[in-house]
Amino acid sequence: MVRDYKLKLYSKKLKSGRCQIKFYVTSSTQPHLYGYMLAKSGSTLREVVRTIEHEVRYIEQGDSYYHSHLYNLAASHKRKDPILIFNN
């Protein structure tokens, strides 16, 4: 599990009222990650960080994160806030 990491966030308000969040996760022990997510206009910084941390932990559990839709089409992984994460 990533314990010692740095998280950088950049936000941009969209015309729809939602916020686009661009983030970078850096750690000395894990590959660097970056990604994007959409947050509701009333979301707090704590909620955004919690969502990112949750998704990063999910990635660490195995490689099924990237192609989970290929294994079980009936059970899709619905996210409250859309998020994309990439290896840097």
Side-chain angles (χ1 to χ4, degrees):
M1 180 185 328
V2 175
R3 294 178 193 270
D4 181 33
Y5 69 93
K6 291 183 182 179
L7 180 63
K8 290 184 182 180
L9 300 171
Y10 301 94
S11 66
K12 175 181 171 182
K13 182 120 179 173
L14 303 176
K15 290 181 182 179
S16 66
R18 298 180 101 183
C19 291
Q20 177 187 21
I21 310 293
K22 182 176 184 179
F23 59 89
Y24 295 92
V25 180
T26 56
S27 170
S28 59
T29 59
Q30 297 290 327
H32 299 299
L33 303 171
Y34 72 97
Y36 302 89
M37 71 175 281
L38 287 176
K40 296 176 185 169
S41 61
S43 298
T44 64
L45 178 60
R46 180 174 288 168
E47 292 170 339
V48 170
V49 170
R50 189 178 309 137
T51 300
I52 294 169
E53 287 177 339
H54 172 72
E55 294 297 323
V56 169
R57 284 191 198 109
Y58 187 72
I59 289 172
E60 291 176 342
Q61 292 175 358
D63 61 352
S64 64
Y65 174 84
Y66 295 106
H67 301 291
S68 61
H69 65 283
L70 297 176
Y71 304 116
N72 189 350
L73 296 175
S76 60
H77 180 68
K78 299 280 183 181
R79 292 184 177 96
K80 186 173 75 173
D81 298 312
I83 185 168
L84 297 171
I85 300 177
F86 305 97
N87 287 330
N88 198 6

